[in-house]
Amino acid sequence: MAVSEEECSSANSRSSSSTSSSSSSSHFLSKCVLRGSVLLHVLSAHLRSPSSNDIVFAKAKSIELVIIGEDGIVQSVCEQPVYGTIKDIAVLPWNDRFRGRNPQMLGKDLLVVVSDSGKLSVLSFCNQMHKFFPVTQVQLSSPGNTKGQLARMLAIDSSGCFIAASAYVDRLAMFSVSMSGGSDIIDKKIVYPPENDDDVNAARVQKNSISGTIWSMSFISQDPNQSKGHNPILAVVINRSGAVLNELLLLGWNIREQDIYVISQYVEDGPLVLSIAEVPHSYGFAFLFREGDAILMDLRDANNPCCVYRTSPHFLSNVVDEANFVQESSKGCDLSRVLQVDDEGGLFNVAACALLELSDLDPMCIDGDKYNVNVTHKFVCSWSWEPMNVKNQRMIISADTGEYFMIEIIFNPDGFKVQESECLYKGLPCKALLWVEGGFLAALVDMGDGMVLKMENGTLHYISPIQTIAPVLDMSVVDYHDEKHDQMFACCGVAPEGSLRIIRSGITVEKLLRTAPIYQGITGTWTLRMKMTDTYHSFLVLSFVEETRVLSVGLSFTDVTDSVGFQPDVSTLACGVVNDGMLVQIHKSAVTLCLPTQGAHSDGVPLPSPVCTSWFPENMSISLGAVGHNLIVVSSSNPCFIFILGVIMYSVHHYEIYEMQHLRLQNELSCISIPQNRYEKKVIGFPNSLVDESYVPSFPFGVDISNIFVIGTHKPSVEILSLAPSEGLRVLASGAISLTNTLGTAISGCIPQDVRLVLVDRLYVLSGLRNGMLLRFEWPTASRMPSSVVPQCPVDWLSVSTDTVLSGVSAANSYGRQVYTTKLSENIKDKFPVDLQLIAIRRIGITPVFLVPLSDSLDGDIIVLSDRPWLLHTARHSLSYTSISFQSSTHVTPVCYVECPKGILFVAENCLHLVEMVHSKRLNVQKLQLGGTPRRVFYHSESRLLIVMRTNLSDDTCSSDICCVDPLSGSVLSSFKLEFGETGKSMELMRVGSEQVLLVGTSLSSGSAIMPCGEAESTKGRLIVICLENVQNSDSGSMTFSSKAGSSSLRASPFHEIVGYAAEQLSSSSLCSSPDDTSCDGNKLEETEAWQFRLAFSMPWPGMVLAICPYLDRYFLASAGNAFYLCGFPHENSQRVKKWAVARTRFTITSLTTHFTRIVVGDCRDGILFYDYNEDSKKLQQLYCDPYQRLVGDCILMDVNTAVVSDRKGSIAVLSCADYLEDTASPECNLTVSCAYYMGEIAMSIKKGSFSYKLPADDALKGGDGSIDFAQNSIIVSTLLGSVITFVPISREEYELLEAVQERLAVHPLTAPILGNDHNEFRSRENPVGVPKILDADMLTQFLELTSVQQEAVLSSPICVRSTVKSRLKFRSSPVPVNQVVQLLERVHYALN
């Protein structure tokens, strides 16, 4: 093969590196950064407790548990991947028959799920592990997604006694719920037709009785006072082959004789029946929803079904003039009409259809008009009954036009009455609807954001969105100078709900205010309330190296140090509120009690100056301190003493700090923490709580939560101390800290930096260490037993001081002096201290770990601050934490006031940042509404603007355009409109000489570009070259920035608004920013640049330009049907384009990508093909071909030898040509599949890049010879279901280690797939046999959620694994080391969480 000199030199330079590069990329780890957001089902149940009102969002690949708060905002409780595909899900309500079962399930509902595992799974929610677990599973059919699989649709009897499951066609099964107290929920089972003639459980019915496509099912409840038995009745809407109308079939199950039989059939001329819904508490009534109307059926006599009511002609009448957005919606996203008659699609929406075998209906083609079905009648898309209404049944329905109506059935002794409402709300059609308590409705929209509506005064009102970003059609990862990768811009949704989304990793943080970088040397931050019961904070305390400032909290952060009484010329060690109106400051010389004046707070003392009194240690300095309710604890370091202080009142405004007890310590203290609030049992029944408040915590034996505090020592250890009037200070529990690395040597720096006591379902201790590690201690099980069986442990770390304590002074007030002496009786010594168990160890950084609770309650979540901020979920099992989308910070404190009830103050880069974190927000995604369907997006670094291609616009002059979008506001700054009837298909950005140009490929033809056989349709297109030019614009009026409302009151504040808001002056007594401060990125916003498009070149193209790609910085490639052209700009002139070469494939080209001289072409049948271009002969030469057929979704080259390709069946594979030499290459040389992975989702876009943080801790977390580098050689994939998945390369040694762990996790009861999928089989689907798999980091990171004991149990558990893994484990010289696994997975979690 002849190549140019330049290519020869580049090829030679790569010859030595290509093999190593390819081999290093042969093992990958997959991690889902953002789970798919397509919501297929919504349910309401009592899952966490009998009183919790939980909502379940069932997605294709995961189950999400949420609640709707009192403000109508959906808050996520937890989300759990299922490692399979959910087909249908339903609630099995609590029934008295269950009472003989596990007490933990008493009164709780269960979930029933059918999936591609072929099993019917019954799930229960475990509060301790904070996840679902299977109670029982029944095998229905073989795994897969075939239409004959008996796992398509569910129906459950309203009493919770019977379950029905059906296939798409011909088959169904029924189950009875067990009445016994055994472990099996399912009692009896019957299947039709029988899988073999000898099946004694099969139904004895005629072969054609249930033959056809099953559209809908519902059990019909019977009046218990009139029914003669317990045989269920199942109503089925069925479409027989060739029939014009659907039938209503009533089936009975004779449980005693194990026989399914047809009771009656009902067919009525008229509109097509679509679905059936039973009327709750009616015992025999059901609605049939048809095209254009709904009819009420009386099925009390199952042998004679009859229609007793029809909706009025105007209720679901013929469609008249509808709004444009509704018409566009039916074009872009309402597929139910099309898919209802498609056997392969069933009733799935477009996202779920993508998971099945593709027919002529291509779910990835969203611009064509094949979805534009001419709907002539309204029909009901979804419905939901009002909960907790037994007397009169009310139902809200959503029509396909986006209209919402209500039907009410009033039952009385004379019969019933049906009332129909007018239109209650007009919006987008809803595919699933749920009416929940409180009057809220959750409405799910296909390929767009859902809605929370509320029923008020007889109408529906919009409250809040239910975010979904699917489908993600394209994305652009923003690289901030290789410092951190935590943001991407994505094209999401379709018209009319198309939008740009800014996706960030971690938990959402809304940046509100920021000061200038003038706060050097901050050593501590605290927020204080004036009274213990105040809702909002009153003061913000900032401690510096040699000074302290106190600011009032509110719209105006004003310096009130002098009015509060804190000593300003010292560094504060700790501060707090000891009682109402009493603030305490602790510094190295004294402890000061202050009563602020009314000048600092309206509830202050009416005096000109604050009242202050101090306590001074004798001949020593204070090193630590903490303040609690009526308690102050301080310690010294040399000598080591601990002092317990109290407060006594002599008269009004006359207080004194006195010493209750002091002890000499054997080990110096490193931290002290006093619980701020005593535990009080919460009222059971709050429905909108993220924590199940009806779960009563378990207290250790002999522990009174109201008088304990926790300390950390240099021993090192954590200790829990108790202060009781009769016993003085004593040690309740002690946990020694002794950690070793994988080599068995001790880890240094294990001294506790911070400690916290947490009480959720149990009492436990969190400790952050100075070396960046986080520990969790719990009481041993023995400590909950009677004292007679508690192991004895002497108190050996305290030596009692012989110094005389102050004598008692009596006073008739609530702050009477109490002096404690140490009286450690033999009885107390027998009980305490107990040895705390170290449950979990995590490394989250290399800098000291600080623990800052978000609230004073003992069950509040905690911000963990180290190299970066994390949110620790206290209610979770073991240690569970999520990254916060904010930069590395040194200090943090919650700030709560009227205007900002969920504020958090971070100290970072010498600035104060006031942010608001909604940690229960479902998605860390910001929406920029654009309209149309955004198809392609680029981040233009020079202008800091987004360049977006849109289609399906409602503009009368064009349906597609290219626009510049401001990423801050989402406003369209400029636009280049395509011709009328022209649709944008592809777009790339490249440089031609000194100009930046956009290469745009379009379609001038309607319809699909691909025939069902894969060949190209005869179409026309256009190639456009657009120049992007900037024009200096000094008129600031085009980009106006103004301060927020109320800015006049901010003039005494240290904050000014972030991102261009006007800076505010501070009072002279406060550290302040100046009006000359720059904006957040350091650039003034007075002068801006305007960017505009200019047409440089345009030419007709012999087909739709589905793919376009730059090549070698001077050429570009453009496709046309099954051909692709290599073009260039002669003399770097953007106004001229010349075709240099052309090559053809057998089938339609769907993707083009390049790397140096290598070209990869993806088509819709032959997979990917490798090409090179010979500049001497000006020919394109094919080198390698894909060994397997695949319909390529997207492709990218990692290097010249390695390509990553996705197909439209949900798989992704890494292919390599490293085993071949180019001089012997020929088209018959097949590529080698290095590894593959079944995602179960169609990848719409594959990009190089990383979505992870790069911080100094990365180097420490790698350890030894770890080779994972998440910032290099990684790819990011976005999918049709809205997932964002990253694939990172790992070494062979790491792969083998983690593969062994994954095999064990995939079968262990605590971590196995909950729907019964074989994890190995699931991830191997659609991939060649024997090809190594990419590891599943979502499965692996479950290992971090386990306790240390559980981790050991998983790794030591026997397992039957595949021969390849078995052979590796056989020759492993030692067991799988827990520390090594945890260290590696911590790095994955740290970087990609």
Side-chain angles (χ1 to χ4, degrees), residues 92 101 105 110 122 135-136 176-178 183-187:
L92 182 64
R101 303 188 181 280
M105 296 171 55
L110 303 175
V122 181
V135 178
T136 188
S176 63
V177 177
S178 175
S183 59
D184 193 3
I185 295 290
I186 304 301
D187 184 19

Side-chain angles (χ1 to χ4, degrees), residues 1016-1066:
E1017 294 276 8
S1018 178
T1019 58
K1020 294 182 179 180
R1022 187 161 69 118
L1023 178 68
I1024 307 172
V1025 180
I1026 304 172
C1027 289
L1028 187 62
E1029 300 175 335
N1030 68 311
V1031 179
Q1032 294 295 328
N1033 181 12
S1034 60
D1035 181 11
S1036 61
S1038 62
M1039 189 178 292
T1040 304
F1041 295 88
S1042 59
S1043 60
K1044 292 183 178 179
S1047 61
S1048 60
S1049 62
L1050 288 172
R1051 293 179 180 175
S1053 169
F1055 298 103
H1056 71 280
E1057 303 281 355
I1058 197 167
V1059 191
Y1061 286 108
E1064 301 295 342
Q1065 293 276 352
L1066 282 176

Side-chain angles (χ1 to χ4, degrees), residues 670-720:
S670 60
C671 50
I672 307 172
S673 175
I674 305 175
Q676 295 302 304
N677 282 351
R678 284 190 282 180
Y679 173 76
E680 295 181 2
K681 188 177 183 300
K682 299 181 181 179
V683 178
I684 297 175
F686 281 97
N688 300 328
S689 174
L690 296 178
V691 178
D692 179 21
E693 295 172 341
S694 65
Y695 196 88
V696 180
S698 175
F699 289 95
F701 177 78
V703 173
D704 184 357
I705 193 66
S706 64
N707 59 14
I708 64 175
F709 61 95
V710 60
I711 61 174
T713 76
H714 281 256
K715 185 178 180 178
S717 66
V718 295
E719 322 280 348
I720 299 178

Side-chain angles (χ1 to χ4, degrees), residues 189 329 427 483 702 873 879 934 975 1005 1024 1083 1091 1227 1361:
K189 167 187 172 183
S329 174
E483 293 177 358
H873 311 283
L879 288 173
S975 174
S1005 304
I1024 307 172
N1083 297 324
W1091 292 77
V1361 297

Side-chain angles (χ1 to χ4, degrees), residues 81 157 316 334 934 1059 1103 1228 1242 1313 1336 1358:
D157 177 42
L316 291 173
D334 184 8
V1059 191
E1228 288 75 26
I1242 297 176
D1336 187 350

Side-chain angles (χ1 to χ4, degrees), residues 1342-1381:
Q1342 290 186 100
F1343 192 78
L1344 296 178
E1345 300 173 4
L1346 304 176
T1347 65
S1348 300
V1349 175
Q1350 291 169 339
Q1351 290 173 348
E1352 292 281 3
V1354 168
L1355 296 185
S1356 62
S1357 60
I1359 180 174
C1360 295
V1361 297
R1362 300 184 315 279
S1363 59
T1364 55
V1365 179
K1366 192 180 299 183
S1367 63
R1368 292 171 188 163
L1369 296 181
K1370 180 178 179 181
F1371 295 103
R1372 183 178 291 277
S1373 58
S1374 61
V1376 181
V1378 175
N1379 291 344
Q1380 188 176 351
V1381 174

Side-chain angles (χ1 to χ4, degrees), residues 747-752 769-772:
I747 299 176
S748 61
C750 291
I751 298 173
L769 306 186
R770 293 183 179 178
N771 60 6

